[in-house]
Amino acid sequence: MNLGEKFFSWVHRLRQACVEARYGLIGLRHFLRAWGSRQPLFLAGCHSGPFAGNAYHFLKNTHRRSEARVVGVAYPQARYALVRDGLPWVPRGSWMARRLAKRAAAVFGTGYPYANIGPECAGALQVMMWHGMPIKGVGLQCLPSPALFPETDVCIATSPFMADIMGRVFGLPPERVLCTGEPKTDGFVDPGRSDLRRMLGGAYRKIVLYAPTFREGEHQPDGKRNPRTLVDSILQSAQIRQVLARHRACMVLALHPFERTLFTGSIEAPFFFSVALDTCTEHLMAAADFLISDYSSLVIDWTLLSRPMGLYCPDLEPYKARRGFPYFDFREVFKPFIHGDVEGIAEAMDRALAGDGAFRDPLFQLKSRFHQHEAGGASARLFDQVMARIKARRSAGSPPPAT
């Protein structure tokens, strides 16, 4: 390494140290404000690196509430977005997070609240904001290995129908399932969301969102994607391209978080990768006119918008055998929207973008089954119900829950 390279390497390390120091000071400021507050402390954690979904929208919509101090516990890769949006946070695994966890009145997690925050939060009310209303088996019905959640005190659901399912998932009685809706659906009516059409250059009249679920079989042992996957069959379809062109539409590809870093293919307009848009999934859904998905929990979220969709499920039977649909008959419930080939998806998309209203009644029935509330207000409802439980616990003089 010559002198010039050493100098630029030193400058890079210095800049990185300055960035880390700045983030450290921001986290410390949030810690001191939370530590000095006399209000109950709520901590929100996320099971994935990007602080997203229910955790992000709950924090965003409740951190200014005066009844409690709400702080996020986040991985390093989420720091930029949280600072950009002015949200309070402390680093996950840090001494600040451990100190706050010991004082927390309630902790909210999208996987395991206990693990999303840290074991120091054992005395807090454990609120499970699972990252989606399930279609395939999860929790106690997860295949091939059931998952136990003994620490969970309460969980959320979107309707009485889903409340029964979530009680089965986590082994909870009905009185410990809160029908508040999912905080992430507050993003559907977020007035501050970005104008996606303008971000895409203003050249498209319609937006199609393609959001498939994670499939283990799409990856080789070395982690690379297998060729000719279902995603590729959509992106390379001449019929899909013709429909997009006919309606001056584009398609945004929003892969499952487990797959985003594994996708190595290049895509060109009218296809766009969601990561490049730096927009949360809920804002993408709010802007989209048509959804292509499959067995993802996003399908249930989407029904809240009452917009047309197509479920691309050529592997329905093998997927059912591998993961199971223990809560309801997937084929029967979503029958009008299921397609086994790209041609069916292209036809459904063409009809929907042209304004065909044939699916309005089935969509209304799905919305009535899966949702008790309209979009918006889920974070506030959850916050209020948790506050009520904490006040009731304190009034009764009961000790913190044993975990």
Side-chain angles (χ1 to χ4, degrees):
M1 182 181 295
N2 58 39
L3 185 60
E5 291 174 337
K6 289 182 179 179
F7 174 75
F8 285 112
S9 177
W10 179 83
V11 170
H12 174 75
R13 290 197 300 269
L14 179 60
R15 287 178 176 173
Q16 187 64 32
C18 291
V19 170
E20 292 297 323
R22 179 173 178 269
Y23 278 128
L25 289 174
I26 294 172
L28 179 61
R29 184 173 73 245
H30 293 313
F31 165 79
L32 292 175
R33 289 176 177 173
W35 185 261
S37 174
R38 295 185 178 182
Q39 301 297 335
L41 177 62
F42 290 179
L43 298 181
C46 190
H47 69 290
S48 62
F51 199 86
N54 284 326
Y56 171 80
H57 289 284
F58 179 78
L59 178 61
K60 181 177 181 179
N61 289 288
T62 63
H63 77 281
R64 297 187 185 278
R65 294 284 294 263
S66 60
E67 305 96 314
R69 175 70 67 171
V70 186
V71 180
V73 179
Y75 284 103
Q77 54 263 53
R79 298 177 304 184
Y80 171 76
L82 295 176
V83 171
R84 177 196 61 196
D85 296 337
L87 302 180
W89 60 277
V90 293
R92 179 172 174 171
S94 67
W95 64 269
M96 293 180 281
R98 292 193 295 269
R99 290 289 184 89
L100 293 183
K102 291 180 180 179
R103 294 186 55 180
V107 292
F108 302 73
T110 58
Y112 293 79
Y114 185 86
N116 294 164
I117 307 297
E120 293 82 5
C121 71
L125 183 74
Q126 308 280 317
V127 183
M128 174 66 79
M129 301 187 300
W130 190 254
H131 45 279
M133 295 294 104
I135 291 178
K136 48 186 174 283
V138 298
L140 296 176
Q141 294 81 41
C142 183
L143 295 177
S145 302
L148 304 178
F149 301 83
E151 306 92 354
T152 301
D153 291 307
V154 295
C155 72
I156 64 173
T158 56
S159 69
F161 175 77
M162 290 307 303
D164 177 69
I165 291 173
M166 298 306 284
R168 292 168 56 192
V169 168
F170 301 114
L172 297 176
E175 62 271 16
R176 290 166 61 184
V177 181
L178 312 179
C179 280
T180 60
E182 295 180 282
K184 62 180 177 177
T185 59
D186 291 350
F188 293 166
V189 293
D190 183 358
R193 65 179 184 270
S194 303
D195 185 342
L196 188 58
R197 284 175 172 78
R198 182 182 59 80
M199 294 173 62
L200 294 171
Y204 302 103
R205 295 177 56 251
K206 302 285 186 178
I207 297 175
V208 176
L209 178 64
Y210 180 27
T213 193
F214 173 73
R215 287 176 170 81
E216 297 86 347
E218 288 197 347
H219 300 93
Q220 301 171 4
D222 60 2
K224 295 181 180 179
R225 286 175 59 86
N226 285 321
R228 295 181 298 279
T229 62
L230 297 183
V231 172
D232 297 323
S233 66
I234 291 288
L235 299 183
Q236 298 173 9
S237 167
Q239 287 179 282
I240 293 290
R241 287 182 175 271
Q242 290 170 4
V243 173
L244 292 176
R246 185 178 303 123
H247 298 281
R248 287 180 56 194
C250 67
M251 180 179 291
V252 176
L253 173 61
L255 292 176
H256 189 282
F258 291 169
E259 292 189 318
R260 289 172 187 169
T261 58
L262 300 176
F263 186 82
T264 58
S266 60
I267 56 178
E268 300 176 350
F271 299 97
F272 299 90
F273 198 29
S274 64
V275 173
L277 299 173
D278 192 24
T279 301
C280 71
T281 302
E282 293 73 33
H283 290 178
L284 294 175
M285 295 172 71
D289 300 284
F290 186 85
L291 173 73
I292 301 175
S293 190
D294 40 40
Y295 323 108
S296 170
S297 62
L298 287 182
V299 172
I300 293 180
D301 301 339
W302 179 261
T303 62
L304 188 56
L305 294 170
S306 300
R307 296 177 190 167
M309 63 180 176
L311 305 184
Y312 184 36
C313 306
D315 59 342
L316 195 156
E317 291 305 324
Y319 194 90
K320 178 181 178 180
R322 186 168 66 252
R323 293 300 305 269
F325 300 128
Y327 310 118
F328 51 82
D329 187 330
F330 175 83
R331 187 187 294 276
E332 181 63 28
V333 169
F334 292 103
K335 184 176 181 180
F337 307 98
I338 295 174
H339 303 278
D341 51 43
V342 176
E343 291 75 18
I345 286 290
E347 180 183 355
M349 186 171 69
D350 191 20
R351 291 170 56 193
L353 295 181
D356 188 338
F359 297 129
R360 288 175 184 170
D361 288 342
L363 285 169
F364 177 78
Q365 293 173 11
L366 289 176
K367 180 179 179 179
S368 301
R369 178 194 294 254
F370 290 122
H371 298 283
Q372 180 178 348
H373 306 281
E374 294 293 332
S379 299
R381 288 189 290 268
L382 178 57
F383 181 98
D384 292 339
Q385 291 205 31
V386 170
M387 278 298 304
R389 287 176 177 264
I390 290 175
K391 290 177 180 178
R393 175 184 292 181
R394 290 180 174 179
S395 298
S398 60
T403 56

